[in-house]
Amino acid sequence: MDEVNFAVLGCGGIGRRTLEVSTDKDHLTPVAACDRNGVAVDHDGLDVDELLAATEGNIASDGGTAAASGPGADSGGVKQTGENAGVAASVQADPTEEPIADIIEASDDIDAVLIALPNFEHDFIPRVADRFAEAGYEGVLVDVLKRSRVIDMLDDRTDEFEEQGITFVCGAGATPGFLTGAAAIAAQSFVEVHEVEIWWGVGLKSGYEDNRGTVREDIAHLPEYDIDDAREMSDAEIEAVIDEYDGVIEFEDMEHADDVLLERAGICDAEDVTVGGILDVTSDEKPTTTTVRVTGTTFDGETGTNTFELDDATSMAANVNGPALGYLKAGVRRNRAGEYGVFGPADLMPGF
């Protein structure tokens, strides 16, 4: 395919790893990156190594409670704070109070934008999309959001995206993401799907500092907390929760968008999808194997279960950022073919 120029909103763990992984992907050129403090734009291609080196150790850990500005905390009224706060002023980045506006202003030559921001308000990512649409952006928007209820908010914008020429790929990480797509493929053996079980394992000891926002979002899935709690908790309170579980937290019945995305793809009812997993911040080894199990009935009346497993050697970054860029490529192909609107990971085969 032709070269794809892309931007990254947010330079926390997901954003930084996306930039890093892109250097090993063909036909991808990162040309812009931003967070709440700074923006870097070079239409000839960012020097990723230099940018990552310049931003190392600058990731804020206020947890989304104290920052006065965030990506979009300008005239558009979108405010978001949290893990993604690392692009500081340097030879590669300029300070700014309006980072999203700066990326939009430079977006004429940007084919795709990956939104790598924590979603501590349910409508945050849809509001970011609104700003691109209102500014006349024509291209691809990709997110790695997790929560089911956000999908309906994006679907409500389908007509606007189609009119504007935007191809929005939602839930394009691991889960939701290519594990959702794996479930959709595994379902092809059956004429009726009874159950989809997604069970993930993440070891995050060495990557914990870079992924505090991701951990914070996960804590919101515990039964005694919600997204508002996670947004308002201090770092010390988050650490106390982690300590309460001795650094190994098991999640059950998470509100992951895999359910809605599989239902909208016609695979099964959302209520038949369950997502859970184990997060271990004391070790880089996965505490359990990431597995997708799809149970259904075949055309000849047999009941069976198809199973898909990830190798334990693949990291969270590999399983989130690789697919995110693959879905970004797929979105660009659709966009260049004139296909606009909202697409999920069960609708597309990611490009390599």
Side-chain angles (χ1 to χ4, degrees):
M1 65 184 300
D2 293 335
E3 200 69 19
V4 174
N5 292 337
F6 76 98
V8 175
L9 303 186
C11 288
I14 292 176
R16 290 171 63 84
R17 295 291 83 77
T18 296
L19 291 167
E20 185 178 11
V21 172
S22 73
T23 62
D24 290 315
K25 296 285 187 178
D26 293 334
H27 309 299
L28 287 177
T29 301
V31 296
C34 77
D35 65 14
R36 67 186 176 96
N37 291 327
V39 60
V41 178
D42 186 341
H43 290 289
D44 292 326
L46 294 173
D47 186 324
V48 171
D49 291 337
E50 184 178 351
L51 181 61
L52 295 181
T55 61
E56 183 118 28
N58 290 331
I59 297 172
S61 58
D62 64 15
T65 61
S69 64
D74 50 21
S75 59
V78 177
K79 180 179 179 181
Q80 180 78 359
T81 61
E83 106 176 4
N84 299 279
V87 176
S90 72
V91 294
Q92 282 289 91
D94 297 319
T96 180
E97 294 183 357
E98 301 181 350
I100 286 182
D102 291 341
I103 295 294
I104 291 173
E105 185 177 351
S107 65
D108 285 348
D109 296 322
I110 295 176
D111 301 301
V113 178
L114 178 69
I115 306 171
L117 299 166
N119 196 35
F120 289 124
E121 293 110 17
H122 292 302
D123 64 344
F124 173 66
I125 287 177
R127 285 186 286 134
V128 171
D130 288 341
R131 297 192 59 196
F132 277 86
E134 290 164 3
Y137 176 69
E138 299 178 26
V140 177
L141 300 175
V142 179
D143 70 49
V144 291
L145 63 83
K146 298 178 182 179
R147 293 188 172 269
S148 304
R149 70 192 74 180
V150 183
I151 304 301
D152 287 340
M153 297 179 189
L154 293 170
D155 279 337
D156 289 342
R157 291 159 166 80
T158 295
D159 290 344
E160 180 182 5
F161 292 160
E162 290 178 345
E163 181 178 347
Q164 182 56 42
I166 290 175
T167 304
F168 197 109
V169 185
C170 57
T175 169
F178 91 109
L179 296 182
T180 322
I185 293 173
Q188 301 307 311
S189 297
F190 309 118
V191 295
E192 181 181 3
V193 172
H194 306 305
E195 185 177 29
V196 176
E197 302 167 276
I198 297 175
W199 183 251
W200 54 264
V202 170
L204 206 59
K205 182 178 182 180
S206 63
Y208 173 65
E209 292 300 324
D210 274 1
N211 291 280
R212 285 176 175 266
T214 298
V215 174
R216 182 180 291 270
E217 280 192 86
D218 283 339
I219 285 175
H221 291 279
L222 291 171
E224 59 267 46
Y225 301 100
D226 60 24
I227 195 68
D228 294 324
D229 296 327
R231 182 177 65 247
E232 299 299 331
M233 292 168 72
S234 68
D235 275 354
E237 289 172 321
I238 294 293
E239 294 291 346
V241 173
I242 294 172
D243 290 342
E244 179 184 345
Y245 287 85
D246 295 324
V248 182
I249 307 176
E250 183 170 332
F251 301 88
E252 296 181 353
D253 296 325
M254 303 177 77
E255 186 198 343
H256 262 223
D258 304 86
D259 55 1
V260 174
L261 292 166
L262 286 169
E263 181 174 270
R264 73 197 291 278
I267 303 300
C268 60
D269 293 336
E271 63 188 21
D272 297 327
V273 181
T274 58
V275 179
I278 301 176
L279 170 67
D280 185 353
V281 301
T282 70
S283 172
D284 287 326
E285 298 295 323
K286 287 185 182 180
T288 185
T289 298
T290 297
T291 307
V292 178
R293 291 168 53 88
V294 180
T295 300
T297 302
T298 66
F299 78 98
D300 47 3
E302 297 294 331
T303 298
T305 299
N306 285 342
T307 302
F308 173 82
E309 290 186 355
L310 294 183
D311 191 281
D312 289 344
T314 60
S315 65
M316 184 183 78
N319 294 328
V320 172
N321 299 110
L325 290 172
Y327 282 117
L328 184 148
K329 282 187 173 183
V332 170
R333 288 194 182 99
R334 293 294 183 100
N335 188 264
R336 289 174 176 173
E339 297 181 53
Y340 313 128
V342 179
F343 297 83
D347 303 318
L348 305 172
M349 182 65 71
F352 189 72

